Structure formats: structure tokens, C-alpha cells
Amino acid sequence: MATSDKIAAVEEITEKLRNSNAAVVTSYTGLTVAQLKQLRRSLGENAQYRVVKNTLTKIAANEAGIQLDEHLSGSTAVAFVTGDPVEAAKGLRDFAKDNPALVIKGGVLEGKALSADEIKKLADLESREVLLSKLAGAMKGKQSQAAALFQALPSKFVRTAEALRAKQAEQGGAE
């Protein structure tokens, strides 16, 4: 690879790392071209899976201010995630279950280094949309409880006032 090609490759990888929410480093030894194509499809629209050279990726990661050195050995490919990192992590985890040749080495999420186990835990999370809908449901439930409480206060006040009026009327009639 000519020096100008290497410089361009480093710049491209650096740009991808800077523009990504997450990057997952994998080993792909033993996967066929057809399997790699299937993996790229399983990651969704918001992730790109690229086979990379370790030395160029180390340089690019350092330029982007990201620590990936410990994961860059052997055959390496990186999933650059620009969308929901949970969706991409699930795609990689599910593909790795069916194809044990794919090994998740580690990665980075919004600048924080992640181990392979942390990426698997990330894959176990529910998607952003599901979490947001659960939050909205919980908030709606709390609003309903507050509304019921606010409705109960005036009616309790009216009942208490009516009971007090009736008691006073009773005492006034007894005298």
C-alpha cells in the first residue's frame, strides 16, 4: 500500500471514529465473504462494518483520542455505529451465536473503552425506543395518580364540611 493510500486510509478511519457513537472491534477469521455480507446486513442501516489494518487503525484511534490498541491484533474488523449502539451490539451478538468464528474483542462507546463482556451487556439492553416508551408509561401512570389525588382532596373537603354542617345543625336543634 503506497504512503498516500495509507494516509488516506488513516484519515478515513479517524473520521469514522470521530463521527461514530460507538465502534466495536471484532475478529472475523474463518468467515466467508457471504457471511460477512450477511453480518453487514444484520447490523442495520446505522452501522458500517469494515475490515481494517491494525497499524493504520491504531494511528487513527490515537488521532481520534480513542484507546483501541489492546483490541487490535490478528484479523480485525470494526463496526462503526452512528445510530443506536444497542441495535448494532445485538446484531453482532446474534450473528456471533450462529457463527462462532466472529469474536467480539471490545470497543468504544462515546469515548469510553468497552470490554467484550460490556458490549454483550449492552446488547442485552432493550432498544432506546422501548426504554423511552417504558419511561413515558411510567410518567403517565404517575400523572394519573397525581390527578386522582388532586380530585380526592376537594371531594374529601366537601364531605368533611357537610358532616360538620350536619353536626352543627344537630347540636343547634338539640338546644
Side-chain angles (χ1 to χ4, degrees), residues 93-171:
R93 179 200 60 196
D94 295 344
F95 188 84
K97 281 181 186 175
D98 297 334
N99 302 283
L102 179 75
V103 178
I104 298 172
K105 296 180 180 180
V108 64
L109 175 64
E110 295 181 2
K112 182 186 175 285
L114 297 175
S115 68
D117 289 335
E118 290 172 321
I119 291 172
K120 289 174 185 169
K121 287 179 185 175
L122 181 67
D124 292 336
L125 289 176
E126 292 173 332
S127 71
R128 182 177 186 271
E129 290 77 22
V130 171
L131 291 175
L132 286 174
S133 65
K134 283 185 176 183
L135 177 64
M139 290 172 70
K140 183 180 178 189
K142 293 296 179 190
Q143 288 174 343
S144 298
Q145 287 175 346
L149 177 68
F150 292 138
Q151 263 184 334
L153 288 175
S155 65
K156 187 173 182 180
F157 175 75
V158 168
R159 286 193 304 270
T160 305
E162 183 61 31
L164 183 60
R165 187 192 62 73
K167 187 175 182 181
Q168 285 177 344
E170 222 177 76
Q171 286 176 352

Side-chain angles (χ1 to χ4, degrees), residues 27-46:
S27 173
Y28 64 93
T29 303
L31 293 176
T32 65
V33 174
Q35 289 172 322
L36 286 173
K37 192 174 184 180
Q38 180 185 3
L39 172 59
R40 286 184 173 102
R41 273 188 255 124
S42 71
L43 289 177
E45 297 176 7
N46 297 321

